[in-house]
Amino acid sequence: MNDLFNDQISGRVWVVGDDINTDLILPIQAYYLPVEQQPAWVFSANRPGWSGDVGQGDILVAGRNFGVGSSRPAARSLKNLGLACLLADSINGLFYRNAINFAFPALEAPGVTALFKEGDRAEISFEAARIANPASGKTLDGVPMPAQLLAILQAGGIYSLLQSENLIR
Amino acid sequence: MGMTAIEKILARNSGLARVRPGDIVTTKVETAILFDNNFMETSWREILHVYDPAKIVVVFDHRAPASHVLSAKAHQTGRAFVKQFGIERFHDIGFHQGISHALVADHGYGLPGTVLLCSDSHTCSAGVFNLAARGVGAPDMTYAVAKGETWFRVGETIRYDLCGALRPGVSAKDVFLHLANTHGDHATMNVEYGGPALAGLSMNARRTISTMSAELSVEFATFEPDQIMIDHVQARTDAPFEPVWPDTNADYADKRVIDLNLIEPLVALPDAVLNNARAVGDVAGTDIDQAFIGSCANGTLDDLAVAARVLAGRRVADGTRLVVTPATQSIYRAAMAEGYIQTIVEAGGVVTNATCGACGGGSMGLLGPGEICITASTRNFKGRMGDAAARIYMASPATVAASAIAGVIASPMDYFT
Ligand code: SF4
């Protein structure tokens, strides 16, 4: 197992709404910048300054249809911003694939936005998709990531796999 | 219970007798399309082995011709890749230039019943040809190009039966906006389109709907095959293919009917596509700075014909910019032969080369702070077409052309009586 992946995740929660799209996560201006500069632009249009407030290991809780939009590597920016996990009522399929491939833990958990308010702590057993809010005592079972996909995440993403097979540089 | 069209396509291409929602399947990839963004130095990982050069297509579309040095370098990397692996289906700047999804339609790259992957989110466009076609990110694309396979999570399918016929002035874009407004997102699910109205919809009109389905967050958007579609593909390729019809007892999550007679021109308000449209009359009179007709969804010859019809003998309003971008150079040439380009230019429209252009805010036709645009492209997200403080309305090419003449958002219906 890759040391990037931690099955037990806990952290401070940030909450965003429905239909958060990839133009908001990785604006086109940022797409041209070096990878390490891209995370500072996350949500700059809808939540200016937010990226500076995010701490290492924080958790993003989102509503329905998170990540709708383009194929750009928006999940990589969320990971590089320091976020430990995404929990969403539902996730766009393309974003979900990118999250797995960039080794950014993401869980679908219908109803998760009702479980948290901003600033709460979330505790997550990722493999079991078990989510808890210790302050309220409430828990929720999300949709576990299928084993084949979890394996890609645990391996550190798909590029690590391809590199280990000498298929990419 | 039987299978839906997409379930049957996924089963066939993964060597399974049947698949069900919730399954994870590994399928072979018949067609893998890379485009210029894949070769940008912030995304590109050098691929050392490709599974089959004949299955790969390379397209420069998002920033073509190069919009800055970064994209010029991406094009260089792409050309070197094409050369190294002997890829023949290469669409560089020039005669065969165009947006990937439109090129798939032009060249018959999407073979019914197969799997097609491209690293652009509107790849569901090719679902109009009865494929499992989906957009993936650069990492999945790299994997598919190297290994010739990919995985899919099988979702439930919603069936849409289209019936009736569109009134003049109402278009496939309005059908999509109606669907997005009525049913919202379809995250983790597939949509399947069929019904008696298909016979009256051109392949271009159908492709507007399949392409825009990306905005519903579908996994796949697949059309039921018919002879019009089969003829379209056979006219463009000698490759054999086998279309897939859904089982008559297919297990759908829901079945919905859309009556095209009831659709009216709609406009999506800025910042979101879903559940965000109004009748054009509700926003008529809104000032605009720019009007854009183009993109993989609405840069077809039909769309240019509609624009020319509305603009013929008229002028774009002072203080308003109309930018028109054919989706491929072959569409551009056909539109020239038909006189559409001349009509649009004489009306004061600016016709650009085939590219994504203003749609993605990446190369030209960008918006400044506070500017208002009405676009016939695919997305009206905040910041999508330039500054985050610009406002983007989205509508059909007819509505956009009518608005360009009026200088404010305007109904197209008067031009089609
Ligand atoms: S035209 Fe727009 S939506 Fe279509 S591929 Fe290009 S950038 Fe994407």
Side-chain angles (χ1 to χ4, degrees):
Chain A
M1 187 180 294
N2 189 288
D3 59 358
L4 290 170
F5 180 78
N6 204 342
D7 190 60
Q8 298 299 314
I9 301 167
S10 70
R12 177 176 60 155
V13 163
W14 299 95
V15 181
V16 292
D18 294 341
D19 301 319
I20 295 294
N21 65 63
T22 57
D23 282 85
L24 296 175
I25 305 168
L26 178 55
I28 195 73
Q29 298 94 322
Y31 191 33
Y32 297 133
L33 300 174
V35 174
E36 57 280 8
Q37 289 176 28
Q38 293 177 0
W41 286 73
V42 175
F43 298 162
S44 54
N46 58 326
R47 216 167 155 170
W50 177 76
S51 62
D53 297 335
V54 175
Q56 198 69 31
D58 286 358
I59 289 164
L60 186 62
V61 173
R64 284 191 61 84
N65 194 26
F66 185 86
V68 61
S70 95
S71 63
R72 65 190 69 178
R76 182 176 67 184
S77 284
L78 295 182
K79 183 182 178 68
N80 290 348
L81 194 56
L83 291 166
C85 188
L86 165 73
L87 306 172
D89 289 330
S90 65
I91 302 176
N92 171 279
L94 175 42
F95 185 90
Y96 187 69
R97 299 180 75 105
N98 271 335
I100 294 163
N101 288 334
F102 286 112
F104 175 54
L107 279 183
E108 286 181 313
V112 72
T113 36
L115 206 67
F116 296 101
K117 59 182 190 319
E118 207 153 277
D120 285 353
R121 277 193 80 71
E123 291 180 352
I124 303 157
S125 299
F126 191 82
E127 203 169 330
R130 178 132 267 250
I131 299 160
N133 181 337
S136 71
K138 287 190 187 144
T139 62
L140 178 73
D141 285 327
V143 184
M145 184 172 280
Q148 300 98 310
L149 311 186
L150 187 65
I152 302 172
L153 187 78
Q154 289 172 336
I158 210 156
Y159 287 135
S160 304
L161 287 173
L162 288 169
Q163 213 162 356
S164 68
E165 293 181 45
N166 281 325
L167 291 168
I168 62 167
R169 196 163 7 239
Chain B
M1 281 305 246
M3 288 189 283
T4 69
I6 191 66
E7 287 165 359
K8 287 171 81 172
I9 297 170
L10 293 175
R12 177 194 282 177
N13 289 283
S14 53
L16 298 169
R18 72 165 298 149
V19 302
R20 289 185 179 79
D23 290 352
I24 303 281
V25 297
T26 300
T27 72
K28 57 185 186 212
V29 175
E30 177 62 29
T31 311
I33 306 175
L34 295 164
F35 67 99
D36 46 8
N37 279 1
N38 286 118
F39 301 101
M40 299 251 287
E41 57 195 15
T42 50
S43 293
W44 179 242
R45 294 292 299 262
E46 190 186 344
I47 298 171
L48 302 174
H49 168 84
V50 310
Y51 76 107
D52 184 354
K55 307 242 184 228
I56 298 170
V57 178
V58 175
V59 173
F60 295 164
D61 55 4
H62 280 62
R63 294 155 227 302
S67 52
H68 43 35
V69 174
L70 211 63
S71 47
K73 283 159 77 178
H75 291 170
Q76 286 178 308
T77 304
R79 288 185 193 107
F81 175 78
V82 161
K83 197 160 172 222
Q84 181 185 353
F85 293 105
I87 290 160
E88 285 175 7
R89 296 188 290 182
F90 174 39
H91 295 265
D92 201 344
I93 317 299
F95 192 84
H96 293 300
Q97 179 177 343
I99 304 171
S100 66
H101 316 305
L103 291 170
V104 166
D106 274 7
H107 292 263
Y109 290 160
L111 296 176
T114 66
V115 173
L116 179 148
L117 282 194
C118 166
S119 183
D120 181 275
S121 55
H122 289 92
T123 303
C124 51
S125 176
V128 75
F129 302 115
N130 183 241
L131 276 81
R134 81 154 297 147
V136 296
D140 275 322
M141 210 57 226
T142 306
Y143 190 91
V145 163
K147 293 173 86 93
E149 60 179 43
T150 193
W151 61 265
F152 295 114
R153 182 172 59 163
V154 183
E156 294 190 302
T157 303
I158 294 182
R159 165 83 182 194
Y160 285 98
D161 276 295
L162 309 184
C163 67
L166 292 170
R167 291 175 294 147
V170 184
S171 78
K173 185 61 152 261
D174 299 305
V175 176
F176 166 78
L177 288 169
H178 166 83
L179 198 164
N181 222 24
T182 313
H183 299 296
D185 82 73
H186 295 55
T188 74
M189 305 185 100
N190 312 305
V191 293
E192 182 180 293
Y193 296 108
L198 283 199
L201 292 177
S202 69
M203 286 310 298
N204 284 333
R206 299 179 195 185
R207 203 168 59 73
T208 298
I209 296 172
S210 65
T211 307
M212 290 304 302
S213 296
E215 304 314 313
L216 303 174
S217 265
V218 299
E219 292 291 311
F220 295 101
T222 308
F223 274 65
E224 190 165 331
D226 70 359
Q227 201 55 43
I228 297 172
M229 182 281 284
I230 292 168
D231 290 346
H232 174 105
V233 179
Q234 273 173 346
R236 289 165 175 79
T237 179
D238 295 331
F241 59 83
E242 244 183 278
V244 174
W245 278 265
D247 291 330
T248 46
N249 63 343
D251 193 6
Y252 296 104
D254 198 8
K255 283 169 130 175
R256 298 166 187 168
V257 174
I258 297 182
D259 183 350
L260 302 195
N261 295 91
L262 302 180
I263 310 277
E264 55 179 332
L266 294 171
V267 179
L269 305 185
D271 299 347
V273 176
L274 299 168
N275 309 113
N276 198 30
R278 300 283 183 279
V280 64
D282 292 354
V283 286
T286 304
D287 273 321
I288 55 167
D289 299 288
Q290 181 164 303
F292 175 59
I293 297 172
S295 84
C296 50
N298 282 113
T300 70
L301 190 62
D302 292 358
D303 297 318
L304 300 183
V306 161
R309 170 171 177 161
V310 172
L311 291 162
R314 302 186 173 89
R315 285 296 290 269
V316 172
D318 281 347
T320 301
R321 318 181 288 267
L322 171 65
V323 179
V324 178
T325 300
T328 66
Q329 290 297 96
S330 74
I331 294 170
Y332 195 132
R333 290 189 292 274
M336 264 198 300
E338 296 289 342
Y340 304 152
I341 302 292
Q342 173 127 5
T343 301
I344 295 167
V345 172
E346 279 176 358
V350 171
V351 179
T352 78
N353 67 276
T355 175
C356 295
C359 172
S363 59
M364 62 167 122
L366 275 74
L367 304 172
E371 287 196 322
I372 300 174
C373 177
I374 185 162
T375 185
S377 55
T378 60
R379 291 190 174 126
N380 57 353
F381 298 162
K382 206 175 181 52
R384 168 83 181 169
M385 298 176 76
D387 193 87
R391 293 175 63 71
I392 309 167
Y393 294 81
M394 189 166 77
S396 73
T399 302
V400 171
S403 303
I405 294 166
V408 294
I409 294 178
S411 169
M413 292 307 259
D414 290 347
Y415 297 95
F416 292 88
T417 48

